[in-house]
């Protein structure tokens, strides 16, 4: 029946609302498992931004050996991207994947 209704909805020239009951508590408990379609419905805590340090990013980078600068920047960017996309941590942001 669900597939039949879905097929019917696809033939309509306008959007169709789908009334349904959702138990959001289990989704909030495991935000990494929330399907993309439901992410706007499930509010989860945002990861905190990296703490600011004296002197800012330029000072932090200049204090590091050259081979440690790129990993620091990559971690910083992944953390901010994860926050913007609503991921629980930067682990979910693949460094080689394009937007």
């Amino acid at each position: 029946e669900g597939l039949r209704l879905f097929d019917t909805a696809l033939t309509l020239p306008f959007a169709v609302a789908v009334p349904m009951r959702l138990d959001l508590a289990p989704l909030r408990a495991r935000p990494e498992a929330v399907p993309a379609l439901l992410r706007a419905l499930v509010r989860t805590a945002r990861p905190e931004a990296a703490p600011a340090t004296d002197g800012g990013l330029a000072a932090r980078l200049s204090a590091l050996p050259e081979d440690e600068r790129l990993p620091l920047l990559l971690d910083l960017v992944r953390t901010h991207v994860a926050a913007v996309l609503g991921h629980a941590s930067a682990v979910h942001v693949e460094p080689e994947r394009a937007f």
Side-chain angles (χ1 to χ4, degrees):
E1 181 182 8
L3 287 174
R4 184 178 52 78
L5 291 171
F6 182 74
D7 288 339
T8 301
L10 287 175
T11 65
L12 300 174
F14 49 86
V16 179
V18 179
M20 61 186 345
R21 290 181 191 212
L22 293 175
D23 184 3
L24 299 178
L27 296 176
R28 286 187 190 106
R30 294 192 51 223
E32 72 281 357
V34 176
L37 184 65
L38 301 178
R39 285 190 189 135
L41 299 175
V42 180
R43 299 202 187 278
T44 59
R46 300 277 186 200
E48 293 184 23
T53 60
D54 295 339
L57 180 59
R60 289 173 60 193
L61 289 172
S62 64
L64 288 175
E66 190 171 335
D67 63 330
E68 293 179 24
R69 293 177 186 167
L70 184 59
L72 174 78
L73 285 173
L74 180 60
D75 184 57
L76 180 67
V77 170
R78 289 177 67 204
T79 299
H80 285 280
V81 168
V84 168
L85 296 178
H87 295 303
S89 75
V91 173
H92 302 288
V93 178
E94 299 172 30
E96 300 298 321
R97 186 172 181 185
F99 282 106

